């Protein structure tokens, strides 16, 4: 089916004035898009990489989470700004501004990255069902599919309900990790020190840092966020767009700030409990759950399983939306969300049926994701720095310089990772 626009997801308020006067808390009507995006920043891939980082290197890599979260805030703000300023999403603008072959190539790699993303999220939710209810992994994967279809069904009632449910899920995940922090009592002084002081512990820690980066800066939500803001509110002029953009920046700070705290809590708990000679090699999510129950108690283990299930089911559904935006934007083809969800379930079901270790697949998927970041980030920076496209909302020189530095750093890390993989 050929579509002239990518998706009707961002249904919502008609005018800025209506949005500002609908509630006494003026920011509330503008909250939502960043919360949908932030689910991808606390997905099961983060569980795997953070457990591995904390158990093997203690608190050393906390700064990687802080740095990547700040990068994510910048990137998601640029994505939201693109949607607000142009009324179109990143794949649409890429198709309009770039040569056809380049746009088609970007679509192909975006689909490959989406497959890796969905694999991680689907497997993570299946492991969550397994840990919570004791079902086998394959039946748990079937239940994950049912849960994902249930969340997708919410879009029939409007995107606002979906945003509210996703925000509630983020709150559940945050509450679970707050409880685990209280149970495990990590050294917050060490967390604070390593959050501010960069450092590595050998080449293996660099490899894992790139995996953490891949799990924290997610390519598919760079595309999705611009779609969620592109036609959310009807802005009549640049002044109204500027007002909306100020509120969307707050949306990003609140949502991704919460996601960053959850990620830091994950790594800190693993560093406190698992960074011992006996557990230093621990990286499997199932082993982490078991050791958490053994060392801290059943309440902490239950919170861990609930958070994993919630993150996997919700982020898998968000990934399906992102895939629809990518396909429709780059090549103007739109398929049913239900069909896309059914097709993307198949690789995960096949891996589980074959007995593949879910945690190994999760960690590998995060490394694959790290390679996809520049292909989404470079076009985003280039387009939001183009005055012909963005008008008065074009990036400032400082913003452009910082964004270029972020893109360059990510690219260099990926080159290092490729070299390590080839030498290995």
């Amino acid at each position: 089916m050929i579509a002239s626009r990518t998706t009707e997801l961002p249904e919502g308020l008609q005018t800025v004035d209506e949005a500002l006067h609908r509630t006494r808390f003026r920011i509330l009507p503008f909250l939502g898009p960043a919360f949908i995006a932030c689910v991808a920043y606390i997905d099961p891939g983060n569980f795997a990489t953070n457990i591995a980082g904390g158990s093997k290197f203690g608190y050393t890599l906390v700064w990687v989470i802080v740095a990547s979260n700040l990068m994510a805030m910048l990137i998601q703000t640029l994505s939201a700004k693109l949607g607000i300023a142009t009324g179109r999403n990143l794949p649409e603008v890429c198709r309009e501004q770039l040569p056809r072959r380049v746009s088609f190539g970007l679509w192909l790699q975006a689909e490959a990255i989406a497959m890796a993303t969905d694999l991680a999220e689907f497997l993570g939710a299946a492991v969550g069902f397994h840990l919570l209810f004791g079902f086998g992994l394959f039946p748990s994967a079937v239940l994950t599919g049912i849960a994902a279809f249930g969340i997708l069904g919410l879009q029939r009632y409007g995107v606002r309900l979906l945003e509210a449910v996703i925000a509630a899920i983020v709150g559940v995940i945050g509450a679970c990790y707050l409880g685990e922090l209280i149970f495990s009592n990590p050294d917050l002084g060490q967390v604070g020190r390593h959050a501010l002081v960069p450092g590595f512990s050998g080449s293996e820690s660099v490899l894992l840092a790139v995996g953490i980066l891949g799990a924290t800066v997610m390519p598919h939500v760079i595309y999705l966020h611009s779609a969620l803001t592109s036609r959310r509110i009807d802005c009549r002029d640049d002044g109204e767009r500027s007002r909306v953009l100020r509120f969307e920046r707050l949306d990003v700070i609140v949502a991704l700030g919460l996601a960053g705290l959850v990620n830091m809590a994950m790594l800190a708990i693993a560093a406190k409990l698992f960074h011992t000679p006996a557990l230093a090699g621990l990286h499997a999510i199932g082993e982490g759950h078991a050791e958490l129950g053994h060392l801290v108690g059943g309440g902490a283990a239950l919170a861990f399983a609930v958070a994993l299930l919630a993150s996997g089911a919700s982020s898998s559904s968000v990934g399906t939306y992102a895939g629809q935006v990518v396909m429709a934007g780059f090549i103007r083809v739109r398929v049913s969300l239900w069909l896309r969800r059914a097709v993307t379930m198949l690789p995960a079901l096949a891996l589980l049926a074959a007995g593949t270790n879910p945690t190994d697949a999760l960690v590998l998927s995060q490394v694959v994701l790290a390679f996809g970041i520049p292909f989404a980030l470079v076009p985003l920076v280039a387009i939001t720095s183009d005055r012909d496209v963005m008008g008065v909302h074009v990036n400032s020189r400082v913003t452009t310089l910082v964004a270029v530095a972020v893109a360059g750093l990510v690219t260099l890390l990926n080159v290092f990772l490729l070299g390590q993989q080839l030498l290995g």
Side-chain angles (χ1 to χ4, degrees), residues 39 42-45 47 120-135 139-148 151 166 169-170 172-173 176-177 180 266 285 289 301-317:
V39 166
I42 47 177
D43 73 357
F47 283 69
E121 293 160 347
F122 198 87
L123 287 175
V127 173
F129 268 116
H130 169 68
L131 297 177
L132 200 56
F133 300 108
F135 303 139
S140 296
V142 174
L143 289 174
T144 297
I146 295 172
I151 295 175
I166 294 293
I169 291 174
V170 172
V172 168
I173 297 170
C176 288
Y177 269 92
E180 289 189 40
M266 289 183 194
I285 289 178
H289 173 265
L302 176 63
F304 178 90
V306 170
L308 179 62
L309 174 57
S311 72
S314 58
S315 58
S316 182
S317 300

Side-chain angles (χ1 to χ4, degrees), residues 295-422:
L295 296 172
V296 181
L302 176 63
F304 178 90
V306 170
L308 179 62
L309 174 57
S311 72
S314 58
S315 58
S316 182
S317 300
V318 168
T320 301
Y321 278 123
Q324 187 189 55
V325 167
V326 163
M327 178 177 283
F330 279 121
I331 63 173
R332 306 180 100 178
V333 174
R334 186 178 174 196
V335 299
S336 164
L337 281 172
W338 306 95
L339 175 61
R340 189 174 184 95
R341 172 69 275 173
V343 170
T344 54
M345 286 167 50
L346 296 179
L349 290 172
L351 284 175
L352 289 175
T356 303
N357 185 310
T359 302
D360 290 340
L362 284 172
V363 174
L364 180 60
S365 72
Q366 302 314 302
V367 175
V368 173
L369 287 177
F371 284 98
I373 297 171
F375 294 100
L377 183 55
V378 171
L380 176 66
V381 174
I383 290 170
T384 54
S385 301
D386 187 342
R387 186 173 293 275
D388 291 337
V389 176
M390 300 295 291
V392 298
H393 303 289
V394 67
N395 293 341
S396 68
R397 181 172 297 180
V398 172
T399 300
T400 298
L401 289 174
V402 173
V404 168
V406 168
L409 175 62
V410 170
T411 302
L412 288 174
L413 286 174
N414 289 334
V415 171
F416 174 84
L417 176 61
L418 179 60
Q420 290 291 309
Q421 295 286 63
L422 291 176

Side-chain angles (χ1 to χ4, degrees), residues 2 20 32 45 57 61 63 133 139 148 155 161 165 171 193 197 200 232-233 251 285 290 304 312 327 337 355 392:
I2 305 299
L20 290 174
F57 303 109
L61 298 181
W63 71 273
F133 300 108
Q155 54 92 22
L161 177 60
V165 170
R193 185 172 76 84
V197 180
F200 291 106
R232 178 182 173 84
I233 293 178
D251 186 29
I285 289 178
F304 178 90
M327 178 177 283
L337 281 172
V392 298

Side-chain angles (χ1 to χ4, degrees), residues 4-36:
S4 60
R5 304 302 292 262
T6 52
T7 176
E8 290 77 34
L9 276 177
E11 301 169 354
L13 302 172
Q14 295 301 307
T15 67
V16 175
D17 288 337
E18 183 182 351
L20 290 174
H21 294 94
R22 173 168 287 194
T23 173
R24 57 184 296 190
F25 300 103
R26 298 174 67 188
I27 189 176
L28 289 182
F30 298 91
L31 294 176
F35 278 87
I36 288 184

Side-chain angles (χ1 to χ4, degrees), residues 267-312:
L267 193 143
I269 291 166
K272 167 68 175 182
L273 299 177
F274 307 145
H275 187 51
T276 65
L279 299 175
L282 186 147
H283 70 285
I285 289 178
E287 294 175 7
H289 173 265
E291 291 296 336
L292 192 63
H294 175 69
L295 296 172
V296 181
L302 176 63
F304 178 90
V306 170
L308 179 62
L309 174 57
S311 72

Side-chain angles (χ1 to χ4, degrees), residues 20-290:
L20 290 174
H21 294 94
R22 173 168 287 194
T23 173
R24 57 184 296 190
F25 300 103
R26 298 174 67 188
I27 189 176
L28 289 182
F30 298 91
L31 294 176
F35 278 87
I36 288 184
C38 91
V39 166
Y41 294 87
I42 47 177
D43 73 357
N46 297 94
F47 283 69
T49 53
N50 289 329
I51 288 175
S55 66
K56 191 141 195 174
F57 303 109
Y59 299 100
T60 301
L61 298 181
V62 173
W63 71 273
V64 178
I65 293 176
V66 174
S68 56
N69 198 249
L70 292 174
M71 293 180 192
M73 287 184 179
L74 171 63
I75 293 165
Q76 295 305 143
T77 298
L78 293 182
S79 179
K81 181 170 73 169
L82 174 63
I84 293 167
T86 67
R88 302 187 300 281
N89 61 54
L90 179 57
E92 286 177 323
V93 178
C94 285
R95 189 189 71 237
E96 295 170 2
Q97 298 292 319
L98 300 176
R100 184 175 180 180
R101 289 184 178 180
V102 174
S103 180
F104 188 78
L106 287 175
W107 169 67
L108 288 178
Q109 69 80 33
E111 290 288 0
I113 295 302
M115 289 174 62
T117 302
D118 195 69
L119 175 65
E121 293 160 347
F122 198 87
L123 287 175
V127 173
F129 268 116
H130 169 68
L131 297 177
L132 200 56
F133 300 108
F135 303 139
L137 282 175
F138 190 80
S140 296
V142 174
L143 289 174
T144 297
I146 295 172
F149 279 119
I151 295 175
L152 286 174
L154 295 174
Q155 54 92 22
R156 293 183 176 181
Y157 305 100
V159 73
R160 294 306 174 116
L161 177 60
L162 177 65
E163 289 174 352
V165 170
I166 294 293
I169 291 174
V170 172
V172 168
I173 297 170
C176 288
Y177 269 92
L178 177 62
E180 289 189 40
L181 277 175
I182 294 172
F183 285 130
S184 60
N185 191 30
D187 188 337
L188 297 182
Q190 288 287 336
V191 173
R193 185 172 76 84
H194 286 284
L196 299 175
V197 180
F200 291 106
S201 182
S203 60
E204 188 177 353
S205 68
V206 179
L207 179 65
L208 189 52
V210 175
I212 292 174
L213 179 66
T216 308
V217 182
M218 301 294 282
H220 69 290
V221 288
I222 297 176
Y223 300 118
L224 178 62
H225 202 166
S226 60
L228 293 171
T229 60
S230 62
R231 291 176 289 278
R232 178 182 173 84
I233 293 178
D234 182 21
C235 298
R236 294 168 294 187
D237 53 43
D238 287 328
E240 290 193 343
R241 293 186 186 95
S242 295
R243 295 172 73 187
V244 172
L245 182 56
R246 284 196 294 271
F247 285 107
E248 290 300 337
R249 289 194 187 102
L250 291 175
D251 186 29
V252 169
I253 291 171
V254 172
L256 293 186
L258 177 58
L261 291 174
V262 169
N263 279 312
M264 290 176 66
M266 289 183 194
L267 193 143
I269 291 166
K272 167 68 175 182
L273 299 177
F274 307 145
H275 187 51
T276 65
L279 299 175
L282 186 147
H283 70 285
I285 289 178
E287 294 175 7
H289 173 265

